[in-house]
Every structure is written in C-alpha cells, then in structure tokens.
Amino acid sequence: MLFSNALVRTPGHSVIDGIDDYANLGQTDYPTALAQHQAYVALLKDRGVTVTVLDP
C-alpha cells in the first residue's frame, strides 16, 4: 500500500456553486456529492487506511 493515513474534508453545501463543465450534466447535486464522498471514505477504511475526516 502506498499510504496508511488519509486526511479528507466533507464537502460543504457550497460545492453546488462550483464550475461544472463536464459533459453538460448540470448543477452538482449536494446529496449525491455527499454520498459519493462517504463511499470514498468507506472504501479507504475498508482498505485499512486510517481516515481523519474534517468538517466542511
């Protein structure tokens, strides 16, 4: 494994105000972004990484 610790920050609601040019998919959906972030953190933990989650 390349690393054993990760520092992540939960996305704040302002993530929906970001620029989104990717494939004209429209505005970012906050609940989806939050769920994707939580899945990412869970994956890291499942791989044995110690994750520190910061507030938005």
Side-chain angles (χ1 to χ4, degrees):
M1 179 175 303
L2 297 175
F3 55 92
S4 57
N5 296 290
L7 181 64
V8 299
R9 181 175 172 258
T10 302
H13 193 268
S14 63
V15 72
I16 66 169
D17 298 325
I19 297 170
D20 182 6
D21 265 349
Y22 185 72
N24 296 319
L25 294 177
Q27 187 176 26
T28 301
D29 178 65
Y30 181 69
T32 300
L34 193 56
Q36 290 172 340
H37 180 266
Q38 291 167 343
Y40 174 66
V41 170
L43 179 68
L44 290 171
K45 289 180 178 181
D46 286 347
R47 300 298 188 270
V49 176
T50 301
V51 180
T52 301
V53 180
L54 302 177
D55 292 334

